[in-house]
Amino acid sequence: MRKLKYLCYYDTPDNIKDNRRYTLSAANVVTYIAEVIADYNVRNIEIVSIAGSNNRNGCKGGRRKIEKGISLRSFSSLGYGGRVRNKIDFWLMQIQTFFYLALHLSKDDDLLVYHSIYYMKMVSILKKIRKFNLILQVEEIYADVVGDNSLRKKELSFFKLADSYIFPTVLLDKEINQPGKPAVFIHGTYKVEPMRKCNFQRKKIHDDLEKEIHCVYAGTLDPQKGGAAAAAAAAEFLPSNYSIHILGFGTPNEIESMKDTVAKIANKKRAKVSYDGVLSGEEYIRFIQSCDIGLSTQNPNADFNNTSFPSKILSYLSNGLRVVTVDIPAIRTSAVGDILFYYDEQSAENIAKTILSIDLTEKYDSRQLIEQIAIDFSNNLLKLL
């Protein structure tokens, strides 16, 4: 039977003991795509995770079933701590992953790769010696995030090895896929979440004359992307019945910096603002559904915005939220572009004005649109496979 393996940094939130290094937002998209493939019984899929452990004592690898039709293969890790140890662990993960894929893939199989600069060379070598069908999932050109022209050339060269692609935007397809190879598009997870009927203890949420309105930013705290800081700053220009919540992941320094930013803004006693940590699974969904407006407020001037799509937008929409976002072509031309609320200039005041322009009493149903997009994506992905 033709095999399908999915290479990425991945784990599941319930596997706390391994404490692997991966990004929740990326893992959610990986899980969604794997479920689409498994649900339609195209074939079994094995997620191959190259994620090492943050534990001081590392962890063991192994194979386990995630759900019907989906399994996860992980590898032993030395753990995290010290420059030398981290470097050795990096290469240990690379070597284990390389030999596993080399031994378990042939020219009749498929390797779906979630693009990362950290294993481009490994995948390139594997492609040459095993000649499998390579499907590249490219969420963004990472060199555009860090502003590295040399890295950009390497990424563009690597992308040419793919036989087909999964992209978040049509603009990224035009940038990378000039030969016009087969491609499908996914902006994030299209899994519509049913109403949990939860809120921040607001008993008369739809009846209050001046109800409390909750806005949420959920995503990276990376200052290069700037979204979390911009969302928090908008609180200075909102009235006291508004609250802005920051759900964000980042380095310890980035988290402390965000807490300091929130504390300074909170002292000005306008809208409420808080850093609420990192949430996942049901806890994340219930928190998001407790809010009214989702914020996608990354810096529009960064090069990566020309082609990437913020997956948080899909997360907000699938939970029924209205979404405030910066007005850039990658978002405006997306499948959900018509139901978003835009601001033109990256300033706290403009973000606040757009938030205030939203009439929460108007009829709104983002879930229905997401359900239709999900059907279209599933059909297109199955054709690609």
Side-chain angles (χ1 to χ4, degrees):
M1 183 179 181
R2 187 173 182 175
K3 295 190 288 290
L4 174 59
K5 300 193 182 296
Y6 198 163
L7 175 63
C8 53
Y9 287 91
Y10 184 88
D11 205 353
T12 53
D14 60 293
N15 186 28
I16 300 172
K17 64 181 178 63
D18 282 6
N19 193 18
R20 302 224 177 226
R21 294 186 294 276
Y22 71 104
T23 305
L24 279 172
S25 57
N28 288 338
V29 176
V30 169
T31 300
Y32 178 77
I33 291 175
E35 287 176 343
V36 169
I37 296 170
D39 285 348
Y40 281 82
N41 296 315
V42 177
R43 66 189 101 141
N44 291 341
I45 179 169
E46 182 179 60
I47 299 172
V48 178
S49 175
I50 196 172
S53 174
N54 280 320
N55 292 337
R56 292 287 297 178
N57 298 322
C59 64
K60 295 181 180 180
R63 190 175 188 272
R64 60 190 171 95
K65 184 177 180 181
I66 301 296
E67 55 185 276
K68 184 179 179 181
I70 305 172
S71 60
L72 171 62
R73 183 66 170 88
S74 59
F75 302 98
S76 298
S77 169
L78 293 178
Y80 194 78
R83 186 178 299 177
V84 174
R85 183 174 183 165
N86 295 345
K87 198 71 174 177
I88 294 173
D89 190 56
F90 172 83
W91 286 111
L92 175 65
M93 301 304 295
Q94 292 274 326
I95 291 168
Q96 291 179 99
T97 306
F98 176 86
F99 281 106
Y100 181 80
L101 292 174
L103 292 171
H104 292 86
L105 285 172
S106 69
K107 66 178 182 179
D108 295 324
D109 298 325
D110 295 319
L111 179 63
L112 171 53
V113 175
Y114 191 110
H115 170 53
S116 168
I117 59 175
Y118 298 111
Y119 45 69
M120 289 192 301
K121 191 168 186 179
M122 180 185 72
V123 173
S124 299
I125 296 171
L126 282 168
K127 171 69 170 169
K128 290 178 182 177
I129 63 175
R130 302 307 291 164
K131 303 188 185 304
F132 46 73
N133 181 59
L134 177 60
I135 307 167
L136 273 185
Q137 181 182 348
V138 185
E139 294 297 320
E140 59 188 341
I141 302 173
Y142 293 115
D144 289 345
V145 178
V146 298
D148 187 332
N149 288 330
S150 176
L151 176 60
R152 197 176 204 277
K153 290 179 182 178
K154 291 178 182 177
E155 286 189 272
L156 293 177
S157 177
F158 172 67
F159 296 151
K160 293 178 182 178
L161 296 176
D163 298 291
S164 56
Y165 302 93
I166 298 176
F167 291 123
T169 67
V170 174
L171 298 179
L172 192 57
D173 178 45
K174 291 179 180 178
E175 174 79 18
I176 292 173
N177 187 21
Q178 294 177 358
K181 296 176 182 178
V184 296
F185 304 92
I186 181 170
H187 303 319
T189 59
Y190 298 141
K191 184 178 180 181
V192 171
E193 295 293 345
M195 287 281 288
R196 274 26 173 212
K197 295 183 180 179
C198 52
N199 58 63
F200 286 101
Q201 299 176 351
R202 294 170 287 170
K203 293 181 180 179
K204 296 188 296 179
I205 186 171
H206 296 297
D207 299 326
D208 294 345
L209 293 176
E210 192 178 80
K211 80 181 187 77
E212 192 172 353
I213 296 171
H214 290 261
C215 307
V216 61
Y217 168 92
T220 179
L221 302 181
D222 184 351
Q224 289 183 309
K225 294 201 171 183
E236 293 186 48
F237 300 92
L238 292 171
S240 59
N241 64 313
Y242 279 75
S243 292
I244 290 185
H245 302 273
I246 308 296
L247 293 179
F249 56 88
T251 65
N253 286 339
E254 289 169 353
I255 291 173
E256 285 305 311
S257 176
M258 178 50 57
K259 289 180 178 178
D260 289 342
T261 298
V262 165
K264 290 175 184 176
I265 296 169
N267 286 335
K268 297 182 179 180
K269 297 181 179 179
R270 292 284 291 173
K272 303 176 190 70
V273 58
S274 60
Y275 172 68
D276 298 283
V278 180
L279 302 178
S280 62
E282 183 63 20
E283 192 176 14
Y284 169 82
I285 293 169
R286 292 185 70 84
F287 193 102
I288 292 295
Q289 290 196 13
S290 294
C291 297
D292 305 288
I293 299 169
L295 305 177
S296 178
T297 48
Q298 73 275 19
N299 178 12
N301 299 317
D303 288 340
F304 62 82
N305 279 310
N306 294 330
T307 51
S308 65
F309 185 91
S311 59
K312 65 174 68 64
I313 290 178
L314 267 295
S315 178
Y316 300 147
L317 294 175
S318 65
N319 282 287
L321 274 65
R322 293 158 174 83
V323 179
V324 169
T325 178
V326 60
D327 192 353
I328 54 176
I331 297 175
R332 178 73 77 167
T333 60
S334 71
V336 297
D338 291 340
I339 65 168
L340 307 179
F341 297 85
Y342 296 96
Y343 64 91
D344 295 323
E345 186 179 338
Q346 184 76 351
S347 71
E349 188 171 6
N350 277 318
I351 294 170
K353 283 180 179 178
T354 304
I355 291 172
L356 291 170
S357 72
I358 297 174
D359 183 354
L360 294 173
T361 64
E362 287 187 352
K363 186 177 179 181
Y364 180 82
D365 187 0
S366 58
R367 287 180 172 88
Q368 185 176 8
L369 175 62
I370 300 302
E371 286 173 348
Q372 183 56 54
I373 296 172
I375 293 171
D376 294 340
F377 170 72
S378 297
N379 291 336
N380 291 332
L381 180 60
L382 295 178
K383 289 177 184 178
L384 186 77
L385 293 173

